Amino acid sequence: MILRVDRLLTELPPPSTPDPAGARIVQELLGGKFGEMSTFMNYTFQSFNFRARQQARPFYDLIANIGAEEYGHIELVSAAINSMLTGASIKEMTESRNSQQFIAGGKSCLPQDSMGKPWNGDYVTATGDLVEDLTHNFFLETGARNNKLKVYESVEHPAARALTGYLLVRGGVHQVAYARAVELLTGADLSKLFPAPRIPTDKIPESKVHLEQGEHAKLYRFSPDDYKELAAVWKGPHPETGDDLVVIDKAPEGFPPVDLPSEPDAFAPDYAPEEIAEIAKKLRTQAGLPEIPTGVVANDTN
Amino acid sequence: MILRVDRLLTELPPPSTPDPAGARIVQELLGGKFGEMSTFMNYTFQSFNFRARQQARPFYDLIANIGAEEYGHIELVSAAINSMLTGASIKEMTESRNSQQFIAGGKSCLPQDSMGKPWNGDYVTATGDLVEDLTHNFFLETGARNNKLKVYESVEHPAARALTGYLLVRGGVHQVAYARAVELLTGADLSKLFPAPRIPTDKIPESKVHLEQGEHAKLYRFSPDDYKELAAVWKGPHPETGDDLVVIDKAPEGFPPVDLPSEPDAFAPDYAPEEIAEIAKKLRTQAGLPEIPTGVVANDTN
Amino acid sequence: MILRVDRLLTELPPPSTPDPAGARIVQELLGGKFGEMSTFMNYTFQSFNFRARQQARPFYDLIANIGAEEYGHIELVSAAINSMLTGASIKEMTESRNSQQFIAGGKSCLPQDSMGKPWNGDYVTATGDLVEDLTHNFFLETGARNNKLKVYESVEHPAARALTGYLLVRGGVHQVAYARAVELLTGADLSKLFPAPRIPTDKIPESKVHLEQGEHAKLYRFSPDDYKELAAVWKGPHPETGDDLVVIDKAPEGFPPVDLPSEPDAFAPDYAPEEIAEIAKKLRTQAGLPEIPTGVVANDTN
Amino acid sequence: MILRVDRLLTELPPPSTPDPAGARIVQELLGGKFGEMSTFMNYTFQSFNFRARQQARPFYDLIANIGAEEYGHIELVSAAINSMLTGASIKEMTESRNSQQFIAGGKSCLPQDSMGKPWNGDYVTATGDLVEDLTHNFFLETGARNNKLKVYESVEHPAARALTGYLLVRGGVHQVAYARAVELLTGADLSKLFPAPRIPTDKIPESKVHLEQGEHAKLYRFSPDDYKELAAVWKGPHPETGDDLVVIDKAPEGFPPVDLPSEPDAFAPDYAPEEIAEIAKKLRTQAGLPEIPTGVVANDTN
Amino acid sequence: MILRVDRLLTELPPPSTPDPAGARIVQELLGGKFGEMSTFMNYTFQSFNFRARQQARPFYDLIANIGAEEYGHIELVSAAINSMLTGASIKEMTESRNSQQFIAGGKSCLPQDSMGKPWNGDYVTATGDLVEDLTHNFFLETGARNNKLKVYESVEHPAARALTGYLLVRGGVHQVAYARAVELLTGADLSKLFPAPRIPTDKIPESKVHLEQGEHAKLYRFSPDDYKELAAVWKGPHPETGDDLVVIDKAPEGFPPVDLPSEPDAFAPDYAPEEIAEIAKKLRTQAGLPEIPTGVVANDTN
Amino acid sequence: MILRVDRLLTELPPPSTPDPAGARIVQELLGGKFGEMSTFMNYTFQSFNFRARQQARPFYDLIANIGAEEYGHIELVSAAINSMLTGASIKEMTESRNSQQFIAGGKSCLPQDSMGKPWNGDYVTATGDLVEDLTHNFFLETGARNNKLKVYESVEHPAARALTGYLLVRGGVHQVAYARAVELLTGADLSKLFPAPRIPTDKIPESKVHLEQGEHAKLYRFSPDDYKELAAVWKGPHPETGDDLVVIDKAPEGFPPVDLPSEPDAFAPDYAPEEIAEIAKKLRTQAGLPEIPTGVVANDTN
C-alpha cells in the first residue's frame, strides 16, 4: 500500500508560453518504452513478485524503494506536460502532432508515447530471476537516460528543461544503484560503464544545480517504516564523481504543485468552471471545512 | 510522490494447493480492461491532470485519494496470484493457459489480462471534464464489480476468494463515492443504481466479514497530510445499507505480506537461491544492519 | 440482417477547399475510442448478445434500433472525411499528419483514430448485464459528445461543421435514450446530468438548425417491421428542452450522397478512371440496364 | 444508412449441449483476420470510399451490396457462438481457453479471434483502386473459405456445423462475384481458381443442402431501392457448377432468431431476470403496446 | 541459414539535403502492412512451413528464393531512410512527425510504418495451402506496388526516388512470379492483371533505367547451391513487355553501401565517436588485422 | 543482401509423436519478446543503422554477423515447431491452446509468442549508441537464455529438446560476444555475470554434446567475403569454461532439413497434394530439370 503526498519531487516553473509541439515530445518520457511508466511498473512488479525476499532483503528493499520514487517521476512528467499545454489555443493544440492531448486529454498528458502509442504491459520485464532483473534494470535506466538526453536536446521549454535536468540526475542514481546491486551479487564491475550514454551529466546546466546539491549520490527512503536495508547496496564511491553514496533515511520534502488554471474550451474541469467552484465551496462549508481550501499549491493566492 | 508501506490491505491466506488455472483467471482483475491497473491508472492520471483543483478541492481529494488506495489493490491481486502459483510444478504451469506466468514471470503475475493481452494506456479515460470523469469512474467501478463477481464464481482457491471478497467491498466504496460525487455536482440521483450488478454483496461470505466490520462505509485517507476534504463528498447514507458514510482520517493498518518461498526451477530469485541469501547476509553485516532482516513478513520464522 | 439504403442521414456540403489537416482530426470520430465505430459496434454486439430479449423487448428494441442508426453515422463521418480530402494535392496529403489517408486509403478515411491507431474490438463493452450495458452506453455517449464538441471546435471546414452539428443532436438523442432506459429500470434519475459536457447544444449554430426541426426529441425506427416497442422507453420530456420525446415510426428519408470525383494520382478508382467508366458502361448495356446509371447521387448531372 | 431486419440469414438449431471449447474456435470466424468482421468492414469501407461511383456503378453496387450481406454474417456467427455457450456451467466456461466469453461477455461472443486478440482496423484494405480492392477481396474470401473449412473440421456442435455449412456457400458467392468483377474489368480469367481451397463444397453435407437450393448461384439485393446494377457483373456460369448466376431482386426472407434464455450466473440480462421482465411488462402496458411482445422469435411460446 | 553479403542491391546516392519529413513517409515501405518487412517475412515463413516441398520443389524454390531477395529490400529501404536523416538538425528531427526516428533510432529507421505503428506478425499470411499462399502473394505485391508508387509521388529526395524506382521493378518481378505460379498450378490466366495499379512502370524515370537493363525479366538465384528449380516457373513472356523471363543463376553483384557519418548529437555511434574509433583501431592492431579497415564501403577514403 | 542456404544449423530428429501442446510453448522462442525474431531483428536493424561503421569495423562486423546467424535460429525454431505438429489430428490441434497453428498456419508455426500475441517491432531496440546497443544485446541474450531454459524444462518432445539444447549453446556464444564487446569498449568486466541465469549449461544433456564439440567457443563467419574483423572482439578465455574463443572463418556446414509430409486435412500444401506433385513434375520436365528433385532433404528417399 502507499501513502500519497501531494508534492512534487522537484520544482517546476509556472506555466509560460504554451508549447504543444514540445509537450508531444515529452510524452516519450511518460509512456514510451523507456519512459517513467516503464521504470515505475517494472520495479513495482518486480517487487510484488520478489520471492524469498526476506533472505535477500537489501535487494528487495532497493527495488521496492526505487519503484516508489518512480511514481513521483510519472507525476512530474505529467505536471511538466500539463504545464506546457496550459493556455494553448485550440488551433495550437490541433496543429500539434498529438491531437489526443486535446481531444482525449483536455489539454493534458496521456499514458502514451511521443507517437501516440499507448504504454503497454509488454514493457514490463519481471522474470523473478534477481540477477537478470537487475541487469535489465541497469539497461532500462541506460535507455531512459538516452531518451531524457534527447528530449532535453529537443525541447527548450523551461518546464521540459527543469524536468529533464532533474530526471537525468535521479535516473542516474537508479542506474548506479542497479549497477552496484549487480556488482555486489556477481562480482562483475560495471562502474566503467558510466556515464551511459557517455555524455557527462554536468554538461547539462539544469542537471548541474542538482549535482551541486549532491542529489546524484543520495538514495532517499520512500517509506515511513520500511526498506531499511538500502545501505547494504547503496554504498561506496559514485562511479562518475567518486562522491560517497549516502542513504537519506526519509523522503525528500518536495514542492507543492502549481494549480494549473481551468481550460473552459477543453471542458477542464468544466465549460463553466465557476459553477463547479461554487458547488465545491458550498460542500466544504456544509462539511465544516475551513473556508480556504486545505490543499497546498505553489501558486496559492490566499 | 508516494511513501510506500510494505503491508497488504487485507490478509491473504498462506500458499496452499497451487492453482495455475485459477491464477490465470485472476489476471483479469489485474490487467484487464476493468482490472485494478485500470482503476489505479484512471484515477491517478485524472488527479495528475485535474485543473483548477484548488477551487474543486473535495473532488480532487476524492479522486487522488482513491487512486492511492488502488495501488494497494494491484499489490493485493499480484500477491494472490503469486500465492496461487507457489509450489506449482512445471507441468502444472505449462498446462495452464497462461504459459507466460511461468516463462516470462517465473511463477508470478504479469500486467496482462486473463487472455494474456497486456494492459495498455487506452484503458485510461482522463478527459479533464470533472462530471464526465466521475460518470466514467462510476461505470468503471460497475464493470470492475461485474468482473470481481465472475472471478469469485470461477475460482475457488482460498487466496482468490479472500481477494475477491475484499475487493468487492472496497470497490463498492469507490462506486458509491463516485456516485455521490456525481450527485453532489449535478443533482442526479444514482443511489437507486446500487448494487450493480444487482447481486447483494452480503451474499458473498468472504465479503460479509468485511461488511460486518463496516468496511463498506469507510473512506480511508491515504496520506500523511493531504486530501483532507473527503468528508465534503463522502457523507450521507450508504445506498444499499443506509449506514452512515464515514471518513477514517488515516490509512488502514494493513497486514504484513507472506514471504513466498523461492522457486528454483523458475530461477526465482535464482537457480541457487541460497547463494543469493549468503551474499545478502554478508552485505547486511557489512552495512551494520541487524542480523535478522528488518522486513516484517507474515511468516517470519525469527 | 440489414437492408442498405444508399442515402446519408444528413446533407453534407459538396467538396470545397481540401483540408487534410482537418480530415485527420475528424478520424477521431470514426475510429477513436469514443468514435462512431465504437457506438455502432457496442450496440450491435449488445443486441446480438441480448438474452431473454422477448421478456425485455422494449430495451432490446432500443439498443438494436440505435445500433442500426449508428451505421449511418460511420457512413456520414466517412463521407465528411472523404469530402475534405477531395482535390488535395499529393503535397498536401503528405504534409498531413495522417500519411495513410493517402498511402493506404487513396485520399479516403480509414478505420483508425486521429493518431492513426486502428479501431479495435477492445472498445466494445457488451457484458450481457442490461443495467450495466445501459449505464455504459450513457457514459459512451457522454464521451462521444465530448469528442464531437472538440472536433467541432478544432475544424472549421464546412463538411466537418455540418457533420458535428448533426451528430451532436443525434448523439444527444442516444444519450437521453440510455438515460431514460436506466431510469425506467432502476428508478435512478439521470436527467440532471444533461447536457454532458455541460455546454448547451443550441450554442452550436450547425446543431441549432436540427434542434429547431425537433431532431433532438425524435427516435426513428430503423426497420421495415421490427423494433416496435421503442415507445415504452422513449417517452416523457426531454431533460434539456422539456419537449416531448416522440417515436417516428420509420427511418428518416435521408439525402443522396455526393459522388466524389476520381483522384487519379491516388489511383482512385484508377490511374485512368475513364477506362473503368468505359467498361462499366459496356457492362451496363450488356445487362440491359438503362443508359443512365440507376444510382441517385446529389450531384447527378443527368 | 441501413434498415435492420430482426431475422437471421439461415436457420440455426436451438441450444443443445453447451460447447465453450468449440465456441472459442468459432470466434476466429467472427473477429479473426479472415473473419466476418473483416469481410463486413472491408467491403463497407470500400463502398464508403468509392470515388466516381456513378461511372462505375455496377462495381459500386456489387461491393456495397455484398457489404450489406456481411452484416448478416457477423450476426449469424454471433448467434451460433451464443447458442453454443447457452447453459454452460461456470466451470465449463472457466476451463475454456477463452475466459473472456464469460468474464467480459456474460456467456456471449466478443469481437475477437480464437486466441482472444481483438479485431482491429488494420484488417481493412480499402485503397480506392478498384482493381486492387477487388483482387484483395477475392483473396480475402479465399482466406475466409480456408478458415470456415477448418472450423467446420474442428467443431462438431450442430450450431457450428449449420453456420459453417451456410457460410461456405454464401462466402463462395462472394468469392465468385469478386472474381467475375476482376475478369470483367481486366480480362483475366480467374475461373480456374475455384474452388479455393480446392475441396469441393458439396463434400460438406451442411453445405450441400444450400447448394441444392441454388444458393451458390444467387446474389440477393439487400436494399429496398438501391444497388440495381448487380446483374452487370453477376452473370454467366458458376465456375464450379456451371449453373447460371442469377440476381434475386430482394433480400432473402430469413428466419426468426432463437430467443436465448437468461444466464443469471453471468448476470445476463440480470442476476434476477424476472425483475427485468416485470418492469418491461409494465412499461409495455403503459405505452399501450400489446400484452404479448411484438418481436418474433423462433421459440415463441405465445 | 544465410550468408550475409555486405552490399546493397542497388546504388543509392550519398547523403544530400536531409529530409526527415520524407524519411517518415518512406517508413511505410519498411514497416507498413505492404512494406518490405511484410514481403520478407511472408515468403520466409511460407518457405519454412512448406510441407512436401520435395514434391513441389519449383514452387518451394520460388518462394524461398524471393524471400531471400526481400532481405535485401529491407536493407535497402533502411539505407535510404538513414541517408535521408543524415545531417538533419535536432530541430528538423523534432519537427518531423516521426519523433522516434530521433529519440529511439538515433536518426535512423525503425521497424514501423509511416504513422509509427510497429510492424507485427499479423501481417504474415502463411496458410500452408500453396495456391492460397501464392494468390495472397500476388495480392501482397499488388498492394506493395501501390504503396511504392505513392511514396514515389510523395517524396522527391534522390535517395527515395532511387529506392522506389528500383523497388518498383524488382517488386514487379515478384508480382509476375507469383502470377505465373498461380497460372501454372491452376490454369487461371492472370497476365491481363498487369500492371496493377495500372500505371506503366516505364513512366517512372528512376524505374526506366532498370527496365532498360532488363531487370524486370530476371530472377536471380540468391543461393550458392540451392533453389535450382526456379526456371520451371519463371519462364515465358513478361505480361507487360513480352520479354522472355530469364533465370540468372547467381545473385547480383550489388553495390557497396555508403558509410554514413556519425551523428554525435544523437549519440550514434557515440557522443564522442572518435574515442570509439581509437579503441577499434587498437583492437584491430592487437588482432593482427590490417591497418586499413577490411570492410568495403562506397565512400572509402583510403 | 543475403545468400540463402537450404540447410539447418543443427540436426533435428524426424517427426515422432505429435505434440501441439509443446509446440505452442515453443512459439515463445520464435515470436516472444525474447525469442529469435527479436534477436534476429535487433541485430539486423542495429547493423543497418550503424553509423561510422568503418571506424568501428570490428563491432559492426560482430553485430552484423551475429544477426546473420540469428536468421538460422528463426528457421530452426520453425522447423522444430512444424515437426512437433506433424501428424497431429484435428482434435489434437483444436484442443491445443494455440488454435491458430491449425486455423491460420495449417499445422505450422506463426510469428507469435506462446500466448498467440504477434511479434512486433517494439521488441527492437536500435538506438545507434554503440555501447547502449551492446549492453542491450547482452541483456537480450540473458532474457533469451532464461526463456530457452524454461522451454527446455517445459517440453520434453525430442525436437524441442534438440532445439533448446543447441540454442542454449549458441545463444551463450552471443551473450559472451556482447559482453566482450562491452568490456573492450568500456573496460567494464562482465565475465562474472556468466552463466545468467546461473544454471551451468553443461547440466543440460542436449547442450553438453555441443559443448563437447567446442561450439560454445566458436564464432562462425556467416559471409563469403565480409565481416572479417570478428577476431578483434571474439578473443580471450570463455568466461565459464576458460576455453579460448576462436573465430571459424566460414559458416558451419549445416544439415539438410527434413521434408515434412503433407497434411491434407490442413490443405498443406493442398487438399489433394498429389495433384500439386503431378503438376510440379511436369513443369520440371518441361524446364529440362532432372527427374529427381534437385533439393537435398534429410529424408530423401531417392
Side-chain angles (χ1 to χ4, degrees), chain E residues 237-258:
Chain E
H238 188 283
E240 288 168 75
T241 66
D243 294 325
D244 273 351
L245 304 178
V246 290
V247 172
I248 307 298
D249 203 40
K250 57 174 188 175
E253 204 176 331
F255 299 82
V258 173

Side-chain angles (χ1 to χ4, degrees), chain F residues 63-244:
Chain F
I63 292 172
N65 187 70
I66 295 179
E69 180 167 2
E70 298 292 5
Y71 179 100
H73 290 184
I74 62 166
E75 187 179 32
L76 206 55
V77 182
S78 298
I81 291 172
N82 296 346
S83 176
M84 295 167 77
L85 295 174
T86 295
S89 69
I90 289 173
K91 194 174 155 58
E92 286 170 314
M93 291 302 301
T94 305
E95 284 178 351
S96 163
R97 277 105 191 129
N98 190 321
S99 46
Q100 293 186 330
Q101 287 185 332
F102 176 58
I103 299 178
K107 300 194 191 171
S108 292
C109 68
L110 294 163
Q112 52 181 226
D113 68 14
S114 69
M115 298 299 283
K117 189 156 47 65
W119 186 88
N120 77 78
D122 263 0
Y123 295 161
V124 171
T125 293
T127 69
D129 179 319
L130 180 55
V131 175
E132 180 175 343
D133 283 356
L134 292 168
T135 308
H136 164 267
N137 295 352
F138 171 74
F139 167 67
L140 179 62
E141 292 289 348
T142 302
R145 190 171 190 274
N146 179 318
N147 280 198
K148 289 165 193 168
L149 286 165
K150 281 184 180 147
V151 171
Y152 179 89
E153 290 181 296
S154 304
V155 189
E156 292 179 18
H157 190 282
R161 288 284 165 101
L163 173 77
T164 46
Y166 176 80
L167 289 179
L168 280 164
V169 173
R170 295 304 305 168
V173 166
H174 302 167
Q175 204 180 11
V176 173
Y178 291 124
R180 288 296 289 145
V182 168
E183 290 169 3
L184 292 169
L185 270 172
T186 67
D189 177 9
L190 306 185
S191 62
K192 297 277 181 55
L193 275 163
F194 290 84
R198 302 199 312 151
I199 174 173
T201 308
D202 61 8
K203 290 222 163 181
I204 315 285
E206 290 84 353
S207 294
K208 207 174 176 186
V209 59
H210 299 294
L211 294 174
E212 285 166 0
Q213 294 171 355
E215 290 297 311
H216 59 295
K218 295 177 193 161
L219 192 64
Y220 296 97
R221 193 167 61 78
F222 281 86
S223 177
D225 288 308
D226 300 300
Y227 317 119
K228 293 188 168 160
E229 305 200 2
L230 301 170
V233 178
W234 186 255
K235 61 178 184 180
H238 189 283
E240 288 167 74
T241 66
D243 294 324
D244 272 352

Side-chain angles (χ1 to χ4, degrees), chain E residues 3 16 50 103 117 127 132 150 165 169-170 191 214 228 237 257 280 283 295:
Chain E
L3 304 179
S16 50
F50 204 116
I103 300 178
K117 188 157 46 66
T127 69
E132 181 175 343
K150 282 184 180 148
V169 173
R170 293 306 303 168
S191 62
K228 293 187 169 162
L283 291 171

Side-chain angles (χ1 to χ4, degrees), chain D residues 26-154:
Chain D
V26 181
Q27 282 283 158
E28 192 76 20
L29 301 187
L30 184 54
K33 185 162 71 163
F34 294 109
E36 301 296 339
M37 279 288 289
S38 285
T39 52
F40 176 39
M41 280 298 153
N42 268 277
Y43 313 148
T44 296
F45 273 93
Q46 288 172 14
S47 68
F48 289 169
N49 295 353
F50 202 117
R51 289 182 173 276
R53 59 180 73 164
Q54 198 68 327
Q55 299 288 324
R57 178 58 61 178
F59 301 100
Y60 172 73
D61 282 5
L62 188 81
I63 293 172
N65 188 69
I66 295 180
E69 181 167 1
E70 299 293 4
Y71 180 100
H73 290 185
I74 61 166
E75 188 180 33
L76 206 54
V77 182
S78 298
I81 291 173
N82 296 346
S83 176
M84 295 167 78
L85 295 175
T86 296
S89 69
I90 289 174
K91 192 174 155 59
E92 286 170 314
M93 291 302 302
T94 305
E95 284 179 351
S96 163
R97 277 104 191 131
N98 191 322
S99 45
Q100 293 185 332
Q101 287 185 331
F102 176 59
I103 299 178
K107 300 194 191 171
S108 292
C109 68
L110 295 163
Q112 54 181 224
D113 69 13
S114 69
M115 298 299 283
K117 189 156 47 66
W119 185 88
N120 77 77
D122 262 0
Y123 295 161
V124 171
T125 294
T127 69
D129 179 319
L130 180 56
V131 175
E132 181 174 343
D133 283 356
L134 292 168
T135 307
H136 164 266
N137 296 353
F138 171 75
F139 167 67
L140 179 62
E141 291 289 347
T142 302
R145 190 172 189 272
N146 179 318
N147 281 196
K148 289 165 192 167
L149 286 165
K150 282 184 180 148
V151 172
Y152 180 88
E153 291 181 296
S154 304

